[in-house]
Amino acid sequence: MSDPDRDEDRSDADRDGHEPTNDGQRFDRLPATPADREVAGRASREEVLDWWDERFGIGRDVLAGYSFWEKGAGKVWVFNGEAADPSRIEAIGMAFLRTRQEHWKPTTRAVQRFGGHATRNVVELDAERASRFAAGEDQDLPEWDGDWGYLIAAHRIAGGTAPIGVGLYLYDELRSVVPKGSRADLPVVDR
Amino acid sequence: MNPLDRYEPLVDDVDAFRAACDRPLPSVVRTNRIKASPARVGDAFDEEGVAYDPVGWHDGLFRLTDGNPGGNWPHLHGWTHGQEEVSVLPTLALDPQPGERVWDACAAPGSKTTQIADAMADRGTVVANDNNLGRLSALRHNAERLGVTNTIVTNQDARNFSTKPLAFDEFDRALVDAPCSCEGTCRKNPDVLDEWTLDHVHAVAGIQKGILTRAVQATRPGGTVVYSTCTFAPEENEAVLDHALATEKCEIVPFDLPLETVPGVTEWDGETYDERVRRAHRVYPHHNDTGGFFCAKLRVGGTEEEIDGSDGDADGSDGDADGSDGDAGETGVAR
């Protein structure tokens, strides 16, 4: 483990005269708003809340109680407890959003955890398509008339709808971006 | 030698004990209530044709008669987690509440961590520590799959755990699910019996004492510490509790578990232990057709009189929390 004191020095812009930078080894809380931003390129809390609301209709109230943290280049974590700020630990809550790229990308686990609150950009797959999606297959889906880009793929199960993971919709095709380690060959279940 | 031989004087029915240890364990999953109710998991299994039996003493557990905890839709959604039945016990004893600060000292691969988070409704703060970085990646994978958001993961030697990286310096509750000799898991992994040595028992007992000591110190007066293992060895169970009673301000408290158990033992191999270790629970495989287990609940701060005014819920274990898995013990600290 490195010396935590070293990082306090490194993040202190006034002391060394350099702009604060993203420290890939440490969790830093996202600034509240773009105006509060000290580290170039870092997403703000407001932008994150707005993004889930605008992209998926997941209201700001759903995520209002959580804190957001960046470690590594653009990987944002969601946390529901008390944490020191900044924090040198192995993990905090769960990784849930990839920023610092043109199209932000939610993680599969975030979509599984919070996607049930989504009201748009959710594509509900039938039983056969759901199995193919979980297995990581891309599939033609010309009937989708919603947005392109990252969608929440869901299916019917046990009396309700449940999100399976993240799909990328481009040119009439739904690509499964379920990570390799999370893919599964599951039965087609007619419900 | 087969280490089970040495425990025969402790059990009521030697033949039944040995026969149970020879039988494989059923595959069991625990419902993750952060994402689904037991009823919804049952419905999804029914739709999919996954065969299961209920577990009478815990409505969140399902015995999967065809064996595989993965490979079904509830698993993909993170609604279930494969976990041996007895492994849900320490979290039931710990009884963590939403909003509390809880330390899981030897946390990987995270079955109990995620059960604790579930019992807290994913609110409050769980600090999941393990000294083994490789096993921490399994913990992180499990926590994310189950949608746990209230957990911080640390990589320290639990014996010298520092709260410096945290926003607080003491816990409401701590779980020491200690690294141990693991004979209790022989129904799942018979190799543990071949690999067993008395030297390891003595070495790991020292580590266990160090971790339990730190857990008591890191928990607020009136708070709860649960000590559990999956070994039958009194050196790793009652002797460790006896050491904690002698060296730290704490008390072993009576508590109930929802299956058949027997009290801790006060004499073993020429040693005698504090009478209060009888308040701990021993779980033998032949009593409930499970793995073997040991579980004790401690209140920090000595006797009830000494901590008068603290929350006093330390012996109110109940147990509608949901379970965690069962390989107590191979995590924690270096050997």
Side-chain angles (χ1 to χ4, degrees):
Chain A
M1 296 290 258
S2 338
D3 175 7
D5 296 332
R6 189 192 53 149
D7 301 294
E8 285 161 24
D9 290 341
R10 203 198 291 178
S11 64
D12 187 344
D14 295 336
R15 194 173 305 172
D16 62 13
H18 294 103
E19 290 296 317
T21 56
N22 185 51
D23 181 339
Q25 300 305 308
R26 190 184 68 196
F27 288 94
D28 284 311
R29 193 185 295 261
L30 297 191
T33 69
D36 301 313
R37 177 157 40 221
E38 293 181 0
V39 174
R42 176 166 288 165
S44 69
R45 174 179 177 81
E46 282 299 303
E47 290 165 310
V48 168
L49 291 171
D50 283 346
W51 184 84
W52 285 95
D53 192 359
E54 287 164 14
R55 182 72 199 168
F56 296 116
I58 296 177
R60 295 167 60 95
D61 55 312
V62 172
L63 292 166
Y66 295 84
S67 58
F68 306 123
W69 304 74
E70 183 181 29
K71 180 187 170 188
K75 195 191 253 190
V76 172
W77 304 57
V78 61
F79 179 57
N80 196 25
E82 300 169 84
D85 183 11
S87 204
R88 178 168 289 281
I89 50 186
E90 298 302 316
I92 183 168
M94 64 190 286
F96 97 135
L97 184 62
R98 173 73 72 172
T99 62
R100 296 186 188 257
Q101 55 194 23
E102 186 181 355
H103 300 288
W104 288 5
K105 177 178 176 292
T107 66
T108 295
R109 300 314 184 186
V111 158
Q112 289 186 340
R113 177 69 168 82
F114 299 106
H117 297 282
T119 55
R120 57 176 164 268
N121 286 324
V122 178
V123 55
E124 189 173 311
L125 302 176
D126 64 26
E128 185 266 339
R129 285 185 178 279
S131 288
R132 288 168 57 197
F133 186 88
E137 275 183 44
D138 302 336
Q139 49 192 301
D140 290 334
L141 195 67
E143 58 267 40
W144 175 253
D145 59 2
D147 287 357
W148 286 23
Y150 293 115
L151 307 180
I152 294 172
H155 71 148
R156 296 286 300 173
I157 176 171
T161 301
I164 303 169
V166 179
L168 176 58
Y169 191 81
L170 293 170
Y171 302 105
D172 291 347
E173 184 187 55
L174 180 68
R175 299 181 189 170
S176 172
V177 296
V178 174
K180 271 197 181 125
S182 303
R183 292 176 191 167
D185 289 318
L186 297 175
V188 175
V189 182
D190 289 317
R191 297 179 164 99
Chain B
M1 87 179 236
N2 185 328
L4 297 178
D5 296 347
R6 71 197 296 259
Y7 306 121
E8 289 188 351
L10 298 179
V11 299
D12 57 337
D13 184 338
V14 169
D15 291 340
F17 170 64
R18 297 303 289 258
C21 288
D22 283 341
R23 287 196 300 272
L25 272 183
S27 178
V28 175
V29 297
R30 167 178 60 87
T31 303
N32 172 35
R33 291 179 216 235
I34 293 172
K35 288 189 168 180
S37 64
R40 196 171 186 203
V41 170
D43 288 348
F45 282 155
D46 291 341
E47 286 177 348
E48 197 172 336
V50 175
Y52 62 87
D53 289 325
V55 173
W57 55 270
H58 193 301
D59 71 349
L61 298 179
F62 296 83
R63 288 188 186 136
L64 302 187
T65 48
D66 295 332
N68 183 9
N72 53 61
W73 281 101
H75 183 269
L76 178 115
H77 284 295
W79 294 0
T80 59
H81 181 68
Q83 179 168 5
E84 192 180 330
E85 282 175 52
V86 282
S87 148
V88 308
L89 297 177
T91 302
L92 300 185
L94 191 68
D95 194 25
Q97 301 296 312
E100 289 186 330
R101 299 161 173 173
V102 180
W103 186 33
D104 189 355
C106 315
S111 296
K112 297 175 190 72
T113 304
T114 55
Q115 184 189 358
I116 289 167
D118 183 336
M120 295 165 70
D122 202 25
R123 301 203 299 273
T125 307
V126 181
V127 178
N129 178 73
D130 205 277
N131 79 316
N132 183 323
L133 197 57
R135 287 169 56 84
L136 278 182
S137 71
L139 181 151
R140 289 172 51 181
H141 173 86
N142 285 325
E144 294 209 338
R145 195 179 66 77
L146 299 176
V148 172
T149 65
N150 72 339
T151 296
I152 283 174
V153 177
T154 61
N155 178 214
Q156 298 188 32
D157 184 330
R159 293 172 291 186
N160 305 308
F161 185 80
S162 166
T163 55
K164 197 177 167 194
L166 308 178
F168 46 84
D169 57 13
E170 63 180 13
F171 294 95
D172 297 304
R173 299 175 201 258
L175 171 62
V176 178
D177 185 47
C180 72
S181 299
C182 299
E183 307 102 331
T185 67
C186 64
R187 299 181 64 180
K188 192 171 66 176
N189 177 20
D191 291 347
V192 298
L193 301 178
D194 298 329
E195 293 159 7
W196 187 95
T197 68
L198 192 56
D199 282 348
H200 177 252
V201 170
H202 290 138
V204 81
I207 293 167
Q208 291 157 343
K209 288 170 185 169
I211 301 174
L212 181 56
T213 296
R214 183 68 193 113
V216 171
Q217 293 167 351
T219 300
R220 65 169 170 81
T224 298
V225 175
V226 167
Y227 179 77
S228 62
T229 71
C230 52
T231 178
F232 304 115
E235 295 94 331
E236 301 181 47
N237 292 325
E238 288 86 350
V240 175
L241 298 176
D242 184 78
H243 177 266
L245 288 173
T247 58
E248 299 298 320
K249 278 267 190 190
C250 61
E251 174 70 300
I252 303 177
V253 296
F255 67 108
D256 294 324
L257 287 177
L259 35 58
E260 184 183 346
T261 68
V262 297
V265 300
T266 54
E267 293 178 28
W268 175 253
D269 198 24
E271 303 282 327
T272 59
Y273 308 125
D274 191 302
E275 276 293 321
R276 290 171 286 178
V277 303
R278 290 178 49 78
R279 295 169 184 168
H281 292 260
R282 289 183 155 259
V283 182
Y284 288 113
H286 57 298
H287 286 156
N288 309 279
D289 197 20
T290 62
F293 213 70
F294 180 87
C295 190
K297 181 167 183 166
L298 291 78
R299 181 199 295 114
V300 174
T303 64
E304 209 146 353
E305 296 75 48
E306 284 173 311
I307 56 160
D308 197 25
S310 8
D311 73 356
D313 68 346
D315 52 357
S317 146
D318 66 5
D320 58 354
D322 353 346
S324 64
D325 97 338
D327 46 1
E330 53 254 16
T331 108
V333 298
R335 299 183 181 173

